[in-house]
Amino acid sequence: MAEYVVEFGKDGRPVESGGRLDAPAFHRNHQAIRAVLQKFLAGKSGDVVEAGSGTGQHVVDFARQAPDIVWWPSDFNAQHLRSIAAWRAHAGLPNIRSPLRIDLSDPAWCPEMHDGSGPGKLLAVFCANVIHIAPWLVAEGLVAGAGRTLRPDGRLFLYGPFKRDGKHTAISNAVFDSSLRDRNAEWGVRDTAALEKLAASSGLALMEIVEMPANNLILVFGRPNAG
Ligand SMILES: C[S@@+](CC[C@H](N)C(=O)[O-])C[C@H]1O[C@@H](n2cnc3c(N)ncnc32)[C@H](O)[C@@H]1O
């Protein structure tokens, strides 16, 4: 069954200097995830927001591999924001911005998205392992914000376990889903069809489903008829 962490830094794992937290899943998943993003990002430039960055390890990995992109990590958890800032400082890369405090349950995301101090229209929004460990309201806020801020050719990438048209893709995902719902009735593995419907309400269409290791998927949304 997939393991999940609600709050990094609370599991007794050593914390690196400056508050850099470590997500064990990052080490297993990052190369496969990065390869999918790279396919879309290759040859492009622009701003990408990572929603619910957690420790901040993914954004550092992406930024190192895609130096022409400006990366904007974000989260709503104070300790995670400290960890993201610490990983950013440790990496010393010029193309990672300070983490934004974005609570995805608010479709406005954060003031910086509106006052000119944050990114402009986005090339992409990337979000891994968030919407099943959060109320549906978070998926709604994430998709609404992406629909509002993506460029015409932009994409929303959602990584995690998903049901496909109402059915689990593996028994382990069904067990995982039950464990999430036992912990919080508002959590649970989300359905591709429900997300497709939600995205449509924000002007986005499901363009691609990429199968990933360990029964995970990446759902890629973009504007219908966009390049
Ligand atoms: C399981 S962790 C995944 C972290 C990271 N994306 C990764 O894959 O390693 C879920 C993340 O979602 C964040 N999160 C949960 N609810 C959120 C919300 N309402 N707004 C923004 N982030 C949220 C948590 O703080 C946590 O960092």
Side-chain angles (χ1 to χ4, degrees):
M1 187 182 76
E3 57 176 272
Y4 66 98
V5 177
V6 178
E7 194 165 1
F8 297 105
K10 297 273 164 82
D11 57 358
R13 293 173 66 79
V15 177
E16 300 286 344
S17 65
R20 277 181 292 136
L21 303 174
D22 180 53
F26 163 78
H27 303 282
R28 294 193 297 273
N29 304 331
H30 72 283
Q31 282 172 329
I33 295 174
R34 186 217 297 150
V36 174
L37 285 193
Q38 275 289 74
K39 233 173 89 184
F40 170 68
L41 296 174
K44 298 190 176 80
S45 58
D47 291 312
V48 177
V49 164
E50 183 186 18
S53 298
T55 63
Q57 288 163 292
H58 278 295
V59 87
V60 168
D61 180 57
F62 298 149
R64 197 167 276 132
Q65 303 299 325
D68 295 333
I69 306 292
V70 177
W71 296 88
W72 298 81
S74 70
D75 209 286
F76 81 149
N77 174 295
Q79 196 173 358
H80 295 179
L81 288 167
R82 272 195 297 279
S83 175
I84 299 162
W87 275 108
R88 173 179 179 254
H90 181 256
L93 296 169
N95 59 328
I96 308 177
R97 297 292 179 260
S98 290
L100 299 166
R101 189 194 178 282
I102 295 180
D103 181 348
L104 295 166
S105 61
D106 177 358
W109 286 9
C110 62
E112 293 88 338
M113 297 302 297
H114 307 275
D115 66 9
S117 63
K121 287 286 177 186
L122 299 175
L123 173 60
V125 176
F126 170 75
C127 184
N129 289 324
V130 174
I131 61 171
H132 55 282
I133 314 179
W136 180 246
L137 191 66
V138 165
E140 290 177 338
L142 169 65
V143 170
R148 190 184 57 245
T149 53
L150 283 176
R151 305 183 339 200
D153 61 342
R155 297 283 188 275
L156 166 64
F157 294 87
L158 294 186
Y159 169 87
F162 296 97
K163 288 191 269 187
R164 286 184 90 154
D165 297 322
K167 292 195 181 70
H168 284 294
T169 61
I171 290 172
S172 58
N173 281 5
V175 175
F176 181 46
D177 189 24
S178 298
S179 75
L180 289 170
R181 288 174 195 280
D182 284 349
R183 180 149 171 186
N184 186 324
E186 290 190 87
W187 295 0
V189 171
R190 306 302 177 190
D191 183 19
T192 52
L195 286 162
E196 205 169 352
K197 195 167 160 206
L198 176 65
S201 68
S202 290
L204 298 174
L206 180 56
M207 303 188 119
E208 195 183 350
I209 298 180
V210 186
E211 299 203 352
M212 302 296 287
N215 303 306
N216 288 307
L217 301 174
I218 292 184
L219 311 185
V220 188
F221 297 88
R223 300 201 187 285
N225 309 318

